Amino acid sequence: MQEIFTGSFTQQEPIPDEGIVAALEVMRSGRLHRYNVAEGEFGETALLEQEFAGAMGARFCVAVASGGYAMACSLRALGVKAGDKVLTNAFTLAPVPGAIASLGAVPLFVGVTEALTIDLEDLAAKADQAEVLMLSHMRGHLADMDALMLLCNKHGVKVIEDCAHTMGATWNGRLSGTDGVIGCYSTQTYKHLNSGEGGLLITDDEVLAAKAIVLSGSYMLYERHLAAPAPEVFEKIKYHTPNVSGRMDNLRAAILRPQLRKLGKQCAAWNERYSCVESGLRGTPGLQIVERSEQENYVGSSIQFLLLDWESCKINSVIDRCLARGVELKWFGGAEPSGFTSRYDSWRYAPSDKMPSSDRVLSSILDMRLPLTFSVEDCALIARIIKAEVSAVYQSG
Ligand SMILES: Cc1ncc(COP(=O)(O)O)c(C=O)c1O
Protein backbone atom coordinates (compact mmCIF):
# COMPACT_ATOMS: atom_id res chain seq x y z
CA MET A 1 0.00 0.00 0.00
CA GLN A 2 1.27 3.45 -0.96
CA GLU A 3 1.74 5.92 1.89
CA ILE A 4 -0.33 9.12 1.61
CA PHE A 5 0.19 12.38 3.50
CA THR A 6 -3.03 14.08 4.64
CA GLY A 7 -1.77 17.28 6.36
CA SER A 8 -2.24 20.85 5.09
CA PHE A 9 0.74 22.81 3.77
CA THR A 10 -0.98 26.10 4.53
CA GLN A 11 -2.18 25.44 8.08
CA GLN A 12 -0.24 27.49 10.63
CA GLU A 13 -0.27 27.10 14.41
CA PRO A 14 -2.88 29.02 16.42
CA ILE A 15 -1.95 32.36 17.99
CA PRO A 16 -0.65 31.69 21.55
CA ASP A 17 -3.30 32.18 24.25
CA GLU A 18 -1.32 35.09 25.68
CA GLY A 19 -1.63 36.86 22.32
CA ILE A 20 -5.38 36.19 22.15
CA VAL A 21 -5.85 37.64 25.65
CA ALA A 22 -3.76 40.71 24.78
CA ALA A 23 -5.67 41.19 21.51
CA LEU A 24 -9.01 41.02 23.36
CA GLU A 25 -7.72 43.62 25.79
CA VAL A 26 -6.85 45.98 22.93
CA MET A 27 -10.28 45.46 21.39
CA ARG A 28 -12.03 46.09 24.71
CA SER A 29 -10.06 49.31 25.13
CA GLY A 30 -11.04 50.53 21.66
CA ARG A 31 -7.51 51.95 21.33
CA LEU A 32 -6.38 50.12 18.20
CA HIS A 33 -4.52 53.01 16.54
CA ARG A 34 -0.93 52.98 17.69
CA TYR A 35 -0.94 56.61 18.81
CA ASN A 36 -4.27 56.33 20.63
CA VAL A 37 -2.86 55.71 24.10
CA ALA A 38 -4.14 56.43 27.60
CA GLU A 39 -2.23 58.61 30.03
CA GLY A 40 1.06 56.87 30.94
CA GLU A 41 0.47 54.04 28.44
CA PHE A 42 2.86 53.24 25.58
CA GLY A 43 0.71 50.88 23.57
CA GLU A 44 1.39 47.46 22.12
CA THR A 45 3.05 48.74 18.92
CA ALA A 46 5.66 50.85 20.68
CA LEU A 47 6.37 47.97 23.07
CA LEU A 48 6.73 45.52 20.18
CA GLU A 49 9.24 47.85 18.51
CA GLN A 50 11.24 48.10 21.72
CA GLU A 51 11.24 44.32 22.17
CA PHE A 52 12.06 43.55 18.54
CA ALA A 53 14.96 46.03 18.53
CA GLY A 54 16.19 44.32 21.72
CA ALA A 55 15.84 40.84 20.23
CA MET A 56 17.78 41.83 17.10
CA GLY A 57 20.35 43.92 18.96
CA ALA A 58 19.40 46.99 16.90
CA ARG A 59 19.16 50.58 18.13
CA PHE A 60 15.91 51.41 16.36
CA CYS A 61 12.80 49.63 15.11
CA VAL A 62 9.65 50.71 13.26
CA ALA A 63 6.56 48.50 12.97
CA VAL A 64 4.65 48.90 9.72
CA ALA A 65 1.81 47.48 7.64
CA SER A 66 3.72 44.78 5.72
CA GLY A 67 7.14 43.49 4.75
CA GLY A 68 6.69 45.06 1.32
CA TYR A 69 5.94 48.40 2.99
CA ALA A 70 9.10 48.06 5.15
CA MET A 71 11.20 47.59 1.99
CA ALA A 72 9.67 50.52 0.09
CA CYS A 73 9.94 52.70 3.20
CA SER A 74 13.64 51.77 3.52
CA LEU A 75 14.26 52.73 -0.10
CA ARG A 76 12.52 56.08 0.45
CA ALA A 77 14.48 56.70 3.64
CA LEU A 78 17.69 56.10 1.68
CA GLY A 79 16.62 58.69 -0.88
CA VAL A 80 16.05 56.35 -3.83
CA LYS A 81 14.18 58.26 -6.53
CA ALA A 82 12.15 57.45 -9.62
CA GLY A 83 14.45 56.24 -12.39
CA ASP A 84 17.24 55.07 -10.04
CA LYS A 85 18.43 51.51 -10.53
CA VAL A 86 18.31 49.24 -7.47
CA LEU A 87 20.20 45.95 -7.45
CA THR A 88 18.16 42.97 -6.33
CA ASN A 89 17.94 39.18 -6.61
CA ALA A 90 16.85 37.43 -9.81
CA PHE A 91 15.36 34.78 -7.49
CA THR A 92 13.00 36.28 -4.94
CA LEU A 93 9.28 36.86 -4.55
CA ALA A 94 7.24 39.49 -6.35
CA PRO A 95 6.93 42.00 -3.45
CA VAL A 96 10.70 42.61 -3.61
CA PRO A 97 10.98 44.03 -7.15
CA GLY A 98 7.48 45.40 -6.50
CA ALA A 99 8.76 47.53 -3.60
CA ILE A 100 11.43 48.98 -5.90
CA ALA A 101 8.95 49.60 -8.71
CA SER A 102 6.53 51.29 -6.29
CA LEU A 103 8.93 54.25 -6.14
CA GLY A 104 9.31 54.38 -9.90
CA ALA A 105 12.83 52.96 -9.41
CA VAL A 106 14.12 50.16 -11.62
CA PRO A 107 15.10 46.68 -10.38
CA LEU A 108 18.49 45.53 -11.75
CA PHE A 109 18.51 41.77 -11.30
CA VAL A 110 21.55 39.86 -10.03
CA GLY A 111 21.90 36.13 -10.73
CA VAL A 112 21.40 33.17 -8.42
CA THR A 113 23.81 30.32 -7.58
CA GLU A 114 23.09 26.64 -6.96
CA ALA A 115 23.17 27.50 -3.25
CA LEU A 116 20.11 29.71 -4.03
CA THR A 117 22.01 32.79 -2.92
CA ILE A 118 22.88 35.94 -4.84
CA ASP A 119 25.75 35.42 -7.30
CA LEU A 120 28.58 37.55 -5.90
CA GLU A 121 30.46 37.57 -9.22
CA ASP A 122 27.44 38.97 -11.01
CA LEU A 123 26.94 41.42 -8.16
CA ALA A 124 30.54 42.63 -8.53
CA ALA A 125 30.00 43.09 -12.26
CA LYS A 126 26.86 45.20 -11.75
CA ALA A 127 27.76 47.02 -8.51
CA ASP A 128 28.81 50.24 -10.23
CA GLN A 129 25.36 50.69 -11.77
CA ALA A 130 23.42 51.35 -8.54
CA GLU A 131 23.82 52.80 -5.08
CA VAL A 132 21.51 50.40 -3.26
CA LEU A 133 21.18 46.62 -3.09
CA MET A 134 17.82 45.23 -1.95
CA LEU A 135 19.19 41.87 -0.84
CA SER A 136 16.56 39.17 -0.50
CA HIS A 137 17.51 36.19 1.65
CA MET A 138 15.03 34.23 -0.43
CA ARG A 139 13.73 31.05 1.22
CA GLY A 140 16.16 31.61 4.07
CA HIS A 141 19.40 31.08 2.12
CA LEU A 142 22.13 33.43 3.31
CA ALA A 143 24.92 34.41 0.93
CA ASP A 144 28.45 34.76 2.31
CA MET A 145 27.59 37.95 4.18
CA ASP A 146 31.24 38.73 4.98
CA ALA A 147 32.18 38.70 1.28
CA LEU A 148 28.97 40.47 0.25
CA MET A 149 29.42 43.33 2.71
CA LEU A 150 33.08 43.76 1.71
CA LEU A 151 32.07 43.94 -1.93
CA CYS A 152 29.23 46.39 -1.31
CA ASN A 153 31.33 48.59 0.95
CA LYS A 154 34.09 48.68 -1.68
CA HIS A 155 31.61 49.89 -4.30
CA GLY A 156 29.74 52.24 -1.94
CA VAL A 157 26.54 50.21 -2.32
CA LYS A 158 24.14 50.43 0.63
CA VAL A 159 22.49 47.16 1.56
CA ILE A 160 18.87 46.76 2.65
CA GLU A 161 18.23 43.19 3.82
CA ASP A 162 14.91 41.51 3.07
CA CYS A 163 14.70 39.08 5.99
CA ALA A 164 11.15 37.88 5.30
CA HIS A 165 12.53 34.30 5.49
CA THR A 166 15.48 34.78 7.86
CA MET A 167 14.06 36.26 11.05
CA GLY A 168 16.12 34.53 13.76
CA ALA A 169 18.83 33.25 11.37
CA THR A 170 22.51 34.17 11.70
CA TRP A 171 25.62 34.38 9.52
CA ASN A 172 28.86 33.89 11.46
CA GLY A 173 26.89 34.58 14.63
CA ARG A 174 25.43 37.90 13.37
CA LEU A 175 21.64 38.09 13.20
CA SER A 176 20.19 38.39 9.72
CA GLY A 177 19.17 41.99 9.13
CA THR A 178 22.03 43.53 11.11
CA ASP A 179 24.72 43.58 8.38
CA GLY A 180 22.91 45.95 6.05
CA VAL A 181 22.03 49.55 6.83
CA ILE A 182 18.38 48.47 7.28
CA GLY A 183 16.83 45.04 7.90
CA CYS A 184 13.21 44.39 6.85
CA TYR A 185 10.93 41.63 8.15
CA SER A 186 7.41 40.43 7.37
CA THR A 187 4.87 39.19 9.89
CA GLN A 188 2.48 37.92 7.22
CA THR A 189 0.85 34.58 8.04
CA TYR A 190 3.46 32.33 6.37
CA LYS A 191 6.49 33.98 8.01
CA HIS A 192 8.21 33.38 11.36
CA LEU A 193 5.78 35.58 13.32
CA ASN A 194 2.14 35.70 12.27
CA SER A 195 -0.15 38.73 12.48
CA GLY A 196 -1.92 38.12 9.19
CA GLU A 197 -0.17 41.15 7.68
CA GLY A 198 2.60 43.28 9.14
CA GLY A 199 6.22 44.30 8.87
CA LEU A 200 9.16 45.53 10.94
CA LEU A 201 12.31 47.38 10.04
CA ILE A 202 15.45 47.83 12.10
CA THR A 203 18.46 50.10 11.74
CA ASP A 204 21.28 51.57 13.81
CA ASP A 205 21.26 54.78 11.77
CA GLU A 206 19.39 57.51 13.62
CA VAL A 207 18.55 59.65 10.58
CA LEU A 208 17.22 56.66 8.64
CA ALA A 209 15.19 55.61 11.69
CA ALA A 210 13.69 59.09 12.07
CA LYS A 211 12.85 59.22 8.38
CA ALA A 212 11.26 55.76 8.45
CA ILE A 213 9.11 56.72 11.44
CA VAL A 214 7.86 59.90 9.76
CA LEU A 215 7.40 58.09 6.44
CA SER A 216 5.38 55.35 8.16
CA GLY A 217 2.81 57.95 9.19
CA SER A 218 3.78 59.19 12.64
CA TYR A 219 2.46 62.74 12.03
CA MET A 220 4.45 64.56 14.72
CA LEU A 221 3.81 61.92 17.40
CA TYR A 222 7.25 60.33 17.20
CA GLU A 223 7.82 60.91 20.91
CA ARG A 224 5.36 58.06 21.54
CA HIS A 225 7.94 55.60 20.18
CA LEU A 226 10.22 53.54 22.42
CA ALA A 227 12.81 52.43 19.84
CA ALA A 228 13.32 55.80 18.14
CA PRO A 229 16.12 58.37 18.03
CA ALA A 230 16.05 61.52 20.17
CA PRO A 231 13.61 64.33 19.20
CA GLU A 232 16.50 66.50 17.91
CA VAL A 233 17.09 64.02 15.10
CA PHE A 234 13.49 64.47 13.93
CA GLU A 235 13.97 68.26 13.88
CA LYS A 236 16.46 67.78 11.01
CA ILE A 237 14.10 65.80 8.79
CA LYS A 238 10.49 66.39 9.78
CA TYR A 239 9.69 69.17 7.30
CA HIS A 240 11.22 67.34 4.36
CA THR A 241 9.94 63.81 4.88
CA PRO A 242 6.51 62.90 3.50
CA ASN A 243 3.94 60.83 5.38
CA VAL A 244 3.37 57.66 3.33
CA SER A 245 0.92 56.05 5.73
CA GLY A 246 1.68 52.43 6.56
CA ARG A 247 1.62 52.05 10.35
CA MET A 248 1.11 48.88 12.31
CA ASP A 249 -1.84 48.85 14.76
CA ASN A 250 -2.01 47.75 18.40
CA LEU A 251 -4.08 44.67 17.65
CA ARG A 252 -1.40 43.10 15.46
CA ALA A 253 1.36 44.13 17.81
CA ALA A 254 -0.51 42.48 20.71
CA ILE A 255 -0.61 39.22 18.77
CA LEU A 256 3.06 39.44 17.85
CA ARG A 257 4.68 40.19 21.21
CA PRO A 258 4.12 36.74 22.77
CA GLN A 259 5.22 35.09 19.51
CA LEU A 260 8.48 37.04 19.54
CA ARG A 261 9.23 35.65 22.99
CA LYS A 262 8.96 32.12 21.50
CA LEU A 263 10.99 32.82 18.33
CA GLY A 264 14.09 30.84 19.37
CA LYS A 265 12.01 27.79 20.26
CA GLN A 266 10.07 28.02 17.00
CA CYS A 267 13.28 28.27 14.95
CA ALA A 268 14.60 25.10 16.62
CA ALA A 269 11.32 23.31 15.82
CA TRP A 270 11.54 24.37 12.14
CA ASN A 271 15.13 23.15 11.94
CA GLU A 272 14.23 19.77 13.40
CA ARG A 273 11.65 19.34 10.63
CA TYR A 274 14.00 20.68 7.96
CA SER A 275 16.83 18.34 8.84
CA CYS A 276 14.42 15.40 8.90
CA VAL A 277 13.27 16.15 5.32
CA GLU A 278 16.81 16.98 4.17
CA SER A 279 18.29 13.74 5.47
CA GLY A 280 15.35 11.79 4.03
CA LEU A 281 16.01 13.27 0.58
CA ARG A 282 19.78 12.74 0.56
CA GLY A 283 20.90 10.11 -1.90
CA THR A 284 17.81 10.42 -4.14
CA PRO A 285 19.01 9.88 -7.72
CA GLY A 286 18.76 13.03 -9.85
CA LEU A 287 17.93 15.24 -6.85
CA GLN A 288 20.40 17.88 -5.63
CA ILE A 289 20.25 19.01 -2.00
CA VAL A 290 20.85 22.74 -1.49
CA GLU A 291 23.94 22.61 0.72
CA ARG A 292 24.25 25.14 3.54
CA SER A 293 27.39 26.85 4.68
CA GLU A 294 28.88 26.19 8.12
CA GLN A 295 28.65 29.89 8.92
CA GLU A 296 24.94 29.87 8.27
CA ASN A 297 22.49 29.19 11.06
CA TYR A 298 19.30 29.13 9.04
CA VAL A 299 15.63 28.84 9.94
CA GLY A 300 14.19 25.92 7.97
CA SER A 301 10.60 27.11 7.59
CA SER A 302 10.64 25.83 4.00
CA ILE A 303 12.90 23.50 2.04
CA GLN A 304 14.12 23.55 -1.56
CA PHE A 305 15.83 20.97 -3.74
CA LEU A 306 17.02 21.05 -7.34
CA LEU A 307 16.15 18.82 -10.26
CA LEU A 308 18.98 20.23 -12.38
CA ASP A 309 18.73 19.78 -16.15
CA TRP A 310 15.49 17.80 -15.92
CA GLU A 311 12.99 18.16 -18.77
CA SER A 312 9.90 20.19 -17.85
CA CYS A 313 7.54 17.29 -18.48
CA LYS A 314 9.45 15.17 -15.94
CA ILE A 315 9.40 17.90 -13.31
CA ASN A 316 5.65 18.24 -13.87
CA SER A 317 5.33 14.51 -13.48
CA VAL A 318 7.14 14.61 -10.09
CA ILE A 319 4.84 17.42 -8.94
CA ASP A 320 1.70 15.57 -10.04
CA ARG A 321 2.75 12.27 -8.52
CA CYS A 322 3.68 13.89 -5.19
CA LEU A 323 0.39 15.83 -5.16
CA ALA A 324 -1.54 12.61 -5.72
CA ARG A 325 0.07 11.39 -2.48
CA GLY A 326 -0.73 14.63 -0.60
CA VAL A 327 2.63 16.41 -0.95
CA GLU A 328 2.41 19.91 -2.43
CA LEU A 329 5.57 21.01 -4.19
CA LYS A 330 5.95 24.42 -5.79
CA TRP A 331 7.99 24.69 -8.94
CA PHE A 332 9.59 28.06 -8.49
CA GLY A 333 11.15 27.78 -11.90
CA GLY A 334 7.97 27.09 -13.82
CA ALA A 335 7.92 29.15 -17.02
CA GLU A 336 4.43 30.52 -16.30
CA PRO A 337 3.65 32.11 -12.94
CA SER A 338 0.93 30.29 -11.01
CA GLY A 339 -0.14 31.60 -7.61
CA PHE A 340 3.27 33.24 -7.07
CA THR A 341 6.17 34.59 -9.12
CA SER A 342 9.75 34.10 -8.10
CA ARG A 343 11.94 34.60 -11.16
CA TYR A 344 13.17 37.76 -12.83
CA ASP A 345 11.69 37.11 -16.24
CA SER A 346 8.17 37.04 -14.75
CA TRP A 347 8.54 40.76 -13.92
CA ARG A 348 8.37 42.17 -17.40
CA TYR A 349 7.94 45.76 -16.15
CA ALA A 350 11.67 45.50 -15.38
CA PRO A 351 13.27 43.89 -18.43
CA SER A 352 16.61 42.23 -17.92
CA ASP A 353 19.30 40.63 -20.05
CA LYS A 354 19.04 36.85 -20.00
CA MET A 355 21.15 35.11 -17.34
CA PRO A 356 21.70 31.56 -18.64
CA SER A 357 23.39 30.08 -15.58
CA SER A 358 20.68 31.53 -13.33
CA ASP A 359 17.99 30.26 -15.69
CA ARG A 360 19.44 26.76 -15.35
CA VAL A 361 19.19 26.96 -11.55
CA LEU A 362 15.79 28.70 -11.53
CA SER A 363 14.19 26.13 -13.78
CA SER A 364 15.23 23.37 -11.38
CA ILE A 365 13.97 24.68 -8.01
CA LEU A 366 11.28 22.80 -6.18
CA ASP A 367 10.00 24.23 -2.93
CA MET A 368 7.93 23.06 -0.03
CA ARG A 369 6.69 24.82 3.09
CA LEU A 370 7.27 23.21 6.50
CA PRO A 371 4.57 24.59 8.79
CA LEU A 372 4.98 23.81 12.48
CA THR A 373 1.64 22.01 12.40
CA PHE A 374 3.63 19.12 10.80
CA SER A 375 5.18 16.65 13.23
CA VAL A 376 8.71 15.29 12.67
CA GLU A 377 7.09 11.97 11.71
CA ASP A 378 5.02 13.83 9.08
CA CYS A 379 8.27 15.24 7.69
CA ALA A 380 9.85 11.78 7.49
CA LEU A 381 6.77 10.54 5.58
CA ILE A 382 6.87 13.53 3.21
CA ALA A 383 10.56 12.84 2.47
CA ARG A 384 9.82 9.18 1.75
CA ILE A 385 7.07 10.16 -0.71
CA ILE A 386 9.26 12.69 -2.54
CA LYS A 387 12.20 10.30 -2.66
CA ALA A 388 10.05 7.52 -4.11
CA GLU A 389 8.39 9.71 -6.75
CA VAL A 390 11.58 11.51 -7.84
CA SER A 391 13.36 8.15 -8.11
CA ALA A 392 10.49 6.63 -10.11
CA VAL A 393 10.40 9.49 -12.64
CA TYR A 394 14.22 9.65 -12.86
CA GLN A 395 14.49 5.94 -13.50
CA SER A 396 11.71 6.01 -16.10
CA GLY A 397 14.45 7.29 -18.44
C1 LIG B 1 11.04 37.05 0.06
C2 LIG B 1 9.92 37.94 0.48
N1 LIG B 1 10.19 39.22 0.72
C3 LIG B 1 9.23 40.09 1.08
C4 LIG B 1 7.92 39.69 1.23
C5 LIG B 1 6.89 40.73 1.56
O1 LIG B 1 6.21 40.52 2.72
P1 LIG B 1 4.70 41.02 2.89
O2 LIG B 1 3.81 39.98 2.32
O3 LIG B 1 4.58 41.17 4.37
O4 LIG B 1 4.58 42.32 2.17
C6 LIG B 1 7.59 38.36 1.03
C7 LIG B 1 6.20 37.91 1.19
O5 LIG B 1 5.78 36.88 0.74
C8 LIG B 1 8.62 37.46 0.65
O6 LIG B 1 8.35 36.16 0.44
Side-chain angles (χ1 to χ4, degrees), residues 254-325:
I255 292 170
L256 290 170
R257 290 179 61 212
Q259 293 180 57
L260 178 59
R261 291 195 274 278
K262 284 176 52 185
L263 180 63
K265 214 169 127 227
Q266 300 289 90
C267 292
W270 267 306
N271 287 354
E272 201 187 347
R273 284 152 184 77
Y274 182 99
S275 58
C276 174
V277 177
E278 188 195 56
S279 60
L281 292 182
R282 269 195 197 279
T284 307
L287 179 151
Q288 184 166 315
I289 299 283
V290 181
E291 301 295 350
R292 322 286 304 225
S293 161
E294 265 183 20
Q295 285 102 317
E296 185 186 12
N297 182 16
Y298 54 87
V299 182
S301 50
S302 68
I303 189 161
Q304 296 68 44
F305 58 87
L306 308 184
L307 299 181
L308 266 176
D309 304 322
W310 282 47
E311 288 166 41
S312 302
C313 59
K314 292 208 162 155
I315 296 184
N316 276 322
S317 170
V318 168
I319 294 169
D320 292 347
R321 292 171 68 124
C322 286
L323 190 58
R325 296 178 67 182

Side-chain angles (χ1 to χ4, degrees), residues 65-71 91-97 99 134-140 162-165 184-191 196-200 332 341 369:
S66 71
Y69 183 90
M71 292 187 288
F91 173 50
T92 180
L93 277 168
V96 180
M134 172 64 75
L135 172 66
S136 184
H137 302 301
M138 177 62 170
R139 278 338 209 193
D162 163 26
C163 305
H165 304 163
C184 300
Y185 306 81
S186 166
T187 62
Q188 180 243 63
T189 289
Y190 301 109
K191 305 301 190 291
E197 303 287 354
L200 292 154
F332 271 165
T341 54
R369 282 198 186 118

Side-chain angles (χ1 to χ4, degrees), residues 9-183:
F9 282 79
T10 50
Q11 183 58 55
Q12 301 298 80
E13 292 182 300
I15 300 302
D17 285 345
E18 234 191 307
I20 295 174
V21 170
L24 286 173
E25 195 48 49
V26 170
M27 286 192 280
R28 286 200 185 98
S29 78
R31 294 189 294 277
L32 277 73
H33 190 280
R34 69 165 296 164
Y35 298 117
N36 183 202
V37 284
E39 186 70 27
E41 182 188 46
F42 282 111
E44 293 283 343
T45 313
L47 289 164
L48 170 68
E49 289 168 337
Q50 186 180 48
E51 289 161 5
F52 193 71
M56 296 296 129
R59 290 179 69 196
F60 311 114
C61 174
V62 192
V64 293
S66 71
Y69 183 90
M71 292 187 288
C73 181
S74 305
L75 291 165
R76 286 196 174 90
L78 278 171
V80 172
K81 301 177 302 302
D84 289 353
K85 285 185 183 158
V86 175
L87 294 154
T88 194
N89 305 59
F91 173 50
T92 180
L93 277 168
V96 180
I100 298 168
S102 75
L103 278 84
V106 183
L108 175 57
F109 296 109
V110 183
V112 61
T113 67
E114 287 179 28
L116 301 190
T117 54
I118 195 161
D119 179 344
L120 294 183
E121 258 181 52
D122 195 30
L123 180 61
K126 292 172 177 163
D128 58 354
Q129 294 182 53
E131 287 171 16
V132 175
L133 165 65
M134 172 64 75
L135 172 66
S136 184
H137 302 301
M138 177 62 170
R139 278 338 209 193
H141 296 275
L142 290 167
D144 178 339
M145 289 303 293
D146 299 310
L148 183 141
M149 291 310 299
L150 261 179
L151 172 67
C152 289
N153 289 338
K154 180 174 145 206
H155 289 272
V157 171
K158 298 209 171 70
V159 180
I160 301 170
E161 291 183 69
D162 163 26
C163 305
H165 304 163
T166 53
M167 186 193 286
T170 59
W171 176 269
N172 251 344
R174 304 188 303 275
L175 275 162
S176 185
T178 59
D179 279 320
V181 67
I182 302 181

